[in-house]
Amino acid sequence: MSENETPETFLDSVSHMVDRAMHFLELPEGAMDAIKACDSVIQVSFPIRFRDRIEVFPGWRAVHSSHRLPVKGGLRFSPTMDQGHAEALAALMTYKCAIVDIPFGGSKGGLRIDPRKYDEWEMERITRRFAHELIQRDYISPAQNVPAPDVGTSQREMAWIMETYRERHPEDVNHSAAVTGKPVDLGGMRGRLEATGRGVQYALQAFFREGNAAREAGLEGGLGDQRIIVQGFGNVGYHAAHFLQNDDHAKIVGVIKSDGGVYCEDGIDVDALNDYVRRSGTMEGFAGVEFERNGNRIMERECDILIPAALEGAIHRENAPNIQARLIAEAANGPVTFEADQILQDRGITILPDVFVNAGGVVVSYFEWVRNLAHMRFGRLERRYDQSQGQHLVTAIEMSTDHKLPDWIRESIVRGAEEIDLVRSGLDDTMREAFSEMYETREVESNGAVLDYRTAAYLIALRKIVRARSDLSLI
Ligand code: NAD
């Protein structure tokens, strides 16, 4: 980059990607600006008194589009958080929800803070105060705006936020639906913690199930034959690597965190690595792998699939020419900049976009929100009934064939679905449907030329948003 050039911001990058898809739509003048604009953004600043000092924390919550309510999106606690990040991430949420048919608008927010510098007691005070600021301005509520975890937040913060909401609104019988990604004992959903990583796995399974997709990307064999590098070893990166290794038997050859990365051609045991990181706080010293302190160099090593699952802008114009993967599955939000996207496309590298790949989190958040409003777990009414119907079926088959079914078949027919089975089935179905729609759209829409997956995904989202907004006379 020359000295006078301004670096492309995250918001610019998202905006250019949307423009590329809008090109294929015929819209009334000004409609595009209306869809891209952020409906509202709030900035709050609040002081917290510690024993020896007072600190002021700035925080944001952006609502990109409230054509559907509530709006939905995570809360990020990070030293780099700012309004631009909130707006860019909120916009991605709007498009993502449309692509996977979740009836929410998009929102996102966060605090500028390094959570590692504070103990649990301090974090609770800061989080509750931030929640209070947002709740009193209606930026958190089950009907209007529902946060979830993101970078730097987890079930713990969601529990504090829910409790703060309940204290302010004891009359609201739906208070538990004010946040998703809560602990299961507080109304959270089994399967939400790992949902985004699970969704990455289902996205890749859908890609490999469609026979031509892998071949078009220059990949041979099935998902189990692929060598994968994962950048980011937090909630999303770890779970994606874990499921791809344990269920699909893919080989994880590289793992990168903020303080370094490891590589091993023969594959890395990600669960053992995760245990090691939990014990020692670093990947350095983990046996049988090569450690590199500048971990991001490992993204440029040989592999078939690269899964960026850390932060935005990880693949930019400087390193895009060096990426060796044939397929990039964007588990993070915005990990490939617009410029890098064009370089990678020119090099024939296929990209599965964030607005599809990491949608698992919001999909299962939707299930959690619906469950909280229903005040009943999924499957409670029908499980025993399904079991007895299964038992009748087994008896009928055994009587008519005069053969006893093997135990495993009998058990799979007789067993009624648990809530976690239903969550996985709903997530898998959603990811398959979204992939098929994207795959078809990219073939049909461009007069002979095949669209890239990202443009196809945005095209699908924009069509749905345009329809909803014009029905509401919002464009
Ligand atoms: P996390 O905080 O649990 O993990 C982040 C990981 O990225 C950590 O391992 C950290 O070491 C690593 N990292 C940070 N900076 C890095 C750098 N410069 N180089 C290499 N590694 C770096 O966060 P998460 O919840 O796993 O989220 C990761 C991404 O996925 C974010 O973009 C987030 O917006 C997106 N996402 C998360 C969810 C969710 O449910 N948590 C849902 C959708 C999308």
Side-chain angles (χ1 to χ4, degrees):
M1 197 187 330
S2 81
E3 268 181 33
N4 299 329
E5 263 181 277
T6 329
E8 181 188 43
T9 66
F10 186 12
L11 194 54
D12 294 337
S13 199
V14 173
S15 173
H16 293 326
M17 286 169 179
V18 178
D19 287 342
R20 201 165 55 189
M22 282 187 173
H23 185 70
F24 291 92
L25 295 172
E26 279 177 27
L27 292 173
E29 206 186 323
M32 234 31 270
D33 294 338
I35 289 170
K36 279 170 67 180
C38 196
D39 283 0
S40 67
V41 195
I42 186 177
Q43 179 180 352
V44 297
S45 289
F46 54 88
I48 296 283
R49 184 190 293 273
F50 299 103
R51 198 161 296 150
D52 53 345
R53 68 196 190 282
I54 294 171
E55 274 187 61
V56 177
F57 295 91
W60 295 265
R61 185 86 180 151
V63 174
H64 173 254
S65 180
S66 37
H67 67 288
R68 289 189 181 252
L69 286 174
V71 290
K72 191 86 187 72
L75 281 179
R76 178 176 287 195
F77 286 3
S78 148
T80 57
M81 190 65 202
D82 61 17
Q83 181 169 330
H85 276 74
E87 288 189 33
L89 289 160
L92 287 178
M93 285 305 296
T94 299
Y95 304 121
K96 192 181 302 183
C97 289
I99 288 160
V100 289
D101 262 331
I102 298 296
F104 292 146
S107 180
K108 202 83 173 196
L111 268 187
R112 187 181 300 151
I113 185 174
D114 184 349
R116 288 169 304 186
K117 290 190 180 155
Y118 302 87
D119 64 25
E120 183 163 356
W121 184 77
E122 291 169 334
M123 280 313 298
E124 177 170 355
R125 288 182 63 212
I126 298 164
T127 306
R128 281 178 174 273
R129 178 63 194 272
F130 183 39
H132 171 84
E133 298 292 333
L134 297 181
I135 292 164
Q136 66 175 348
R137 294 171 174 89
D138 288 337
Y139 274 77
I140 295 180
S141 97
Q144 293 178 75
N145 196 325
V146 182
D150 193 75
V151 175
T153 57
S154 64
Q155 290 187 340
R156 181 183 77 165
E157 285 73 18
M158 297 306 115
W160 293 332
I161 295 170
M162 187 196 90
E163 180 59 9
T164 309
Y165 179 84
R166 194 170 69 105
E167 282 162 11
R168 282 192 60 91
H169 293 284
E171 77 294 345
D172 188 346
V173 68
N174 293 322
H175 65 265
S176 65
V179 291
T180 58
K182 313 174 277 291
V184 171
D185 290 334
L186 294 180
M189 178 63 101
R190 278 198 179 76
R192 171 61 184 92
L193 180 68
E194 67 275 24
T196 309
R198 182 66 87 177
V200 174
Q201 175 196 28
Y202 289 161
L204 284 169
Q205 286 178 353
F207 179 86
F208 277 90
R209 204 175 282 119
E210 167 56 63
N212 290 332
R215 212 168 319 120
E216 286 161 9
L219 293 166
E220 281 169 22
L223 184 48
D225 301 306
Q226 309 306 316
R227 297 160 306 156
I228 300 178
I229 293 176
V230 181
Q231 185 229 18
F233 202 48
N235 180 319
V236 179
Y238 163 69
H239 284 112
H242 165 86
F243 293 130
L244 288 165
Q245 178 165 77
N246 292 313
D247 300 349
D248 301 292
H249 311 294
K251 200 184 271 183
I252 309 296
V253 293
V255 175
I256 305 156
K257 275 191 348 103
S258 45
D259 56 343
V262 290
Y263 188 86
C264 176
E265 262 177 24
D266 297 332
I268 299 163
D269 180 337
V270 290
D271 292 313
L273 179 63
N274 189 43
D275 289 344
Y276 182 84
V277 169
R278 278 175 188 279
R279 279 198 311 274
S280 57
T282 170
M283 299 197 284
E284 191 170 9
F286 184 67
V289 299
E290 186 189 324
F291 176 79
E292 178 135 24
R293 195 161 300 286
N294 179 0
N296 287 335
R297 293 242 291 270
I298 287 182
M299 282 198 293
E300 301 170 15
R301 300 288 286 269
E302 218 182 298
C303 69
D304 302 303
I305 303 176
L306 173 60
I307 304 183
L311 293 177
E312 58 283 345
I315 304 170
H316 40 78
R317 65 174 161 187
E318 268 82 38
N319 63 3
N322 307 329
I323 299 296
Q324 298 198 47
R326 297 298 316 152
L327 174 68
I328 297 177
E330 296 184 333
N333 282 309
V336 175
T337 64
F338 181 68
E339 288 172 314
D341 181 281
Q342 289 185 317
I343 296 170
L344 294 165
Q345 280 197 48
D346 290 345
R347 294 185 55 219
I349 295 172
T350 303
I351 304 173
L352 286 176
D354 47 6
V355 281
F356 161 64
V357 174
N358 73 30
V362 74
V363 171
V364 178
S365 276
Y366 169 54
F367 300 157
E368 180 176 330
W369 182 78
V370 171
R371 176 199 206 265
N372 293 154
L373 297 184
H375 298 267
M376 199 194 293
R377 75 177 142 76
F378 294 124
R380 182 168 178 175
L381 293 181
E382 59 271 47
R383 183 161 156 235
R384 298 296 167 196
Y385 179 76
D386 288 347
Q387 256 180 11
S388 70
Q389 290 296 98
Q391 186 57 58
H392 292 324
L393 184 63
V394 168
T395 310
I397 294 170
E398 289 184 344
M399 281 173 69
S400 58
T401 59
D402 210 15
H403 270 97
K404 203 168 172 311
L405 287 173
D407 284 347
W408 70 271
I409 294 186
R410 165 188 281 268
E411 268 158 35
S412 70
I413 298 174
V414 165
R415 185 176 163 274
E418 305 263 355
E419 190 172 55
I420 185 72
D421 302 319
L422 297 171
V423 167
R424 285 186 192 143
S425 152
L427 176 57
D428 192 9
D429 181 62
T430 305
M431 299 308 285
R432 288 188 200 207
E433 289 290 313
F435 180 76
S436 301
E437 201 178 351
M438 229 167 46
Y439 193 79
E440 278 167 28
T441 303
R442 89 190 243 284
E443 288 206 323
V444 171
E445 293 299 332
S446 58
N447 298 329
V450 173
L451 291 179
D452 60 287
Y453 284 97
R454 192 189 313 278
T455 304
Y458 275 118
L459 202 46
I460 294 165
L462 288 168
R463 286 213 175 103
K464 292 180 187 173
I465 295 163
V466 166
R467 279 201 298 272
R469 289 183 71 117
S470 42
D471 287 348
L472 294 167
S473 307
L474 291 173
I475 52 171

